[in-house]
């Protein structure tokens, strides 16, 4: 049985990814930062699969918490096959770099880039030993081309750095049966993060070229595909799922 670590896996996109992997028969360590109510709700929803699921509290901006998450996965399930780096702090207020506080900058870098480094240091040796691994990071539209993203300087800087890290790990670890790919969601907001594709088709979305919003199911299906054993030819790839929407230029004057 494959085992997955999903960071921030109790809500939003992470919840849909967790559901997808559970449905496919994986065991899973679901990380969360603080929302005990969400965990309680999921324990009820996923009760029939409780023997394959554990919830581990931890802040991915803290190295010691990352170690605890990985050690908990190994202690309970004895292996780590999939690392889904779903967690990633974000400053929702639109403001220029000069208006950032230092702590906001470091939270973006630590939460979106350094956290992945610490997870990789702990999980790659396990994957090497098993001769198999799937690493998924998250980015944004066109991150591989290092675009400027107005009002998102710290977040975009971290994710562009993560592009290079993802591609480098793909090259370094290919000989060990480990792939690394980045998924770039479109403008998936609010309830649509936990929605399904059919629901989105009913609601419509005139701002997205394909006519509907992206959903958590879109991202979960893509990640599940990349994690398949026969998806080993896909590595070092940056894959967008935006429905054709030009996400990063929506607020350009």
């Amino acid at each position: 049985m494959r085992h997955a670590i999903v960071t921030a896996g109790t809500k939003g996109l992470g919840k849909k990814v967790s559901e997808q992997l559970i449905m496919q028969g994986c065991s899973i360590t679901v990380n969360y930062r603080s929302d005990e109510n969400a965990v309680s709700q999921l324990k009820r929803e996923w009760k029939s699969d409780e023997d394959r699921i554990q919830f581990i509290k931890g802040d991915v901006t803290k190295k010691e918490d990352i170690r605890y998450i990985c050690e908990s996965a190994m202690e309970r399930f004895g292996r780590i096959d999939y690392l889904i780096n779903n967690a990633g702090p974000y400053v929702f207020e639109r403001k220029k770099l000069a208006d950032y506080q230092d702590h906001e900058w470091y939270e973006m870098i630590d939460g979106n880039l350094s956290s992945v480094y610490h997870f990789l240091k702990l999980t790659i040796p396990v994957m090497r030993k098993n001769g198999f691994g799937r690493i998924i990071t998250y980015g944004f539209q066109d991150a591989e081309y290092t675009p400027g993203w107005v009002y998102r300087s710290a977040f975009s800087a971290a994710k562009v750095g993560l592009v290079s890290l993802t591609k480098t790990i793909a090259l370094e670890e290919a000989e060990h049966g480990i792939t690394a790919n980045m998924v770039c969601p479109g403008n998936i907001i609010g309830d649509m993060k936990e929605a399904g594709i059919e629901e989105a088709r009913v609601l419509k979305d005139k701002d997205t070229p394909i006519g509907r919003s992206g959903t958590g199911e879109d991202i979960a299906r893509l990640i599940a595909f990349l994690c398949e054993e026969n998806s080993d030819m896909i590595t070092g790839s940056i894959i967008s799922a935006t429905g054709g929407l030009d996400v990063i230029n929506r607020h350009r004057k």
Side-chain angles (χ1 to χ4, degrees), residues 83-226:
L83 172 63
I84 316 299
N85 296 283
N86 176 78
Y90 187 79
V91 176
F92 286 92
E93 181 184 355
R94 295 199 298 273
K95 56 184 177 181
K96 296 179 180 179
L97 175 65
D99 300 320
Y100 269 65
Q101 300 296 314
D102 285 355
H103 74 87
E104 292 175 315
W105 171 267
Y106 288 113
E107 184 181 10
M108 293 301 100
I109 301 301
D110 290 343
N112 289 289
L113 180 57
S114 299
S115 63
V116 178
Y117 160 75
H118 292 301
F119 269 110
L120 293 176
K121 286 280 288 182
L122 294 168
T123 58
I124 284 177
V126 178
M127 293 177 177
R128 283 178 176 174
K129 184 177 180 180
N130 293 334
F132 177 90
R134 298 288 182 262
I135 296 162
I136 305 294
T137 59
Y138 282 44
F140 63 91
Q141 169 210 328
D142 295 337
E144 66 269 39
Y145 304 117
T146 63
W149 190 358
V150 176
Y151 309 127
R152 300 286 180 250
S153 54
F155 179 82
S156 62
K159 291 300 189 182
V160 166
L162 188 56
V163 169
S164 184
L165 179 59
T166 302
K167 287 176 171 284
T168 300
I169 291 302
L171 295 171
E172 291 180 349
E173 302 303 326
E175 64 181 302
H176 300 290
I178 300 170
T179 67
N181 294 287
M182 175 179 279
V183 171
C184 301
N187 189 40
I188 307 175
I189 61 175
D191 292 343
M192 300 314 294
K193 292 180 180 180
E194 296 184 10
I197 292 170
E198 290 305 318
E199 181 181 349
R201 285 179 175 148
V202 171
L203 293 175
K204 309 291 186 183
D205 179 4
K206 62 181 178 58
D207 295 323
T208 303
I210 66 165
R212 70 168 177 87
S213 168
T215 69
E217 183 183 359
D218 290 293
I219 305 307
R221 290 178 69 251
L222 178 53
I223 289 173
F225 171 71
L226 292 172

Side-chain angles (χ1 to χ4, degrees), residues 4 6 9 12-28 46 49 52 82 84 195-197 215-228:
V6 181
L13 300 181
K15 177 185 176 182
K16 294 301 287 185
V17 173
S18 297
E19 286 178 345
Q20 184 75 32
L21 294 176
I22 292 168
M23 186 174 64
Q24 293 187 188
C26 296
S27 62
I28 184 169
W46 298 345
D49 297 301
R52 294 190 286 122
Y82 309 147
I84 316 299
I197 292 170
T215 69
E217 183 183 359
D218 290 293
I219 305 307
R221 290 178 69 251
L222 178 53
I223 289 173
F225 171 71
L226 292 172
C227 286
E228 291 179 4

